[in-house]
Amino acid sequence: MLLSELTRKQKLKFLDLAFHMAAVDGDPSIQEKRMLNEKLAEVGDNIIAEYSFSLSDNLEETVEFFMNENHRVRNIVYLNLIELLMIGGFYNTAEYFFLEDIRKALRISVEKRKQMIALTFDYKDLRDKAVRLCAKWLRREFLSKKKGQLYI
């Protein structure tokens, strides 16, 4: 969400954080890989062509980069990390502490974190409703065509 508003360097640094987050507990899960692909699509083809797709050697340097950015950039980055973490609805202790350390470093309040988590669940619910709505429509269209009718 909102990654398109970041600069080229911020997008590249965000990808570093996202890949570190996905790997904090071992290899990324299928859901994490799917979400990483969505994040890659959101940052754009020019960034994908430039990104090395390997974990940066210095996570602290990447975090420090964002510590010096304005609050809007820090909030966008943290919101997207929350989305990556919450994709499956469950997360483990290593992921929680990783995200909590990032939150503290970026000076994001507990209240703001709660708001971001609520927004992430609202966004996920909206996407799920859209998927169900489209699936319902497609199923009706298929059944109507099967009966020789055109569904509009």
Side-chain angles (χ1 to χ4, degrees), residues 10-115:
Q10 291 165 344
K11 289 175 184 178
L12 290 166
K13 292 288 190 178
F14 167 76
L15 291 175
D16 279 345
L17 274 181
F19 277 89
H20 272 285
M21 176 130 174
V24 75
D25 60 343
D27 290 333
S29 69
I30 291 170
Q31 289 176 322
E32 288 171 327
K33 286 179 183 178
R34 185 177 61 84
M35 181 57 70
L36 285 169
N37 283 330
E38 287 182 26
K39 298 301 173 194
L40 287 167
E42 190 175 348
V43 298
D45 291 339
N46 57 335
I47 300 297
I48 293 170
E50 197 174 336
Y51 190 66
S52 66
F53 292 94
S54 61
L55 294 178
S56 62
D57 294 333
N58 194 340
L59 174 62
E60 291 78 24
E61 183 180 294
T62 302
V63 173
E64 192 173 303
F65 170 82
F66 285 113
M67 288 170 61
N68 296 318
E69 294 295 318
N70 65 53
H71 75 280
R72 188 167 193 281
V73 169
R74 293 190 319 263
N75 285 336
I76 290 170
V77 166
Y78 193 71
L79 175 63
N80 280 277
L81 291 176
I82 287 175
E83 185 183 13
L84 180 61
L85 178 70
M86 305 294 283
I87 186 64
F90 300 101
Y91 51 91
N92 64 39
T93 306
E95 292 170 325
Y96 171 80
F97 284 118
F98 180 88
L99 192 60
E100 192 63 10
D101 289 344
I102 299 291
R103 181 191 68 79
K104 290 174 184 175
L106 299 182
R107 302 180 309 280
I108 294 173
S109 70
V110 171
E111 183 60 33
K112 179 69 78 174
R113 180 192 64 195
K114 288 178 186 177
Q115 293 170 350

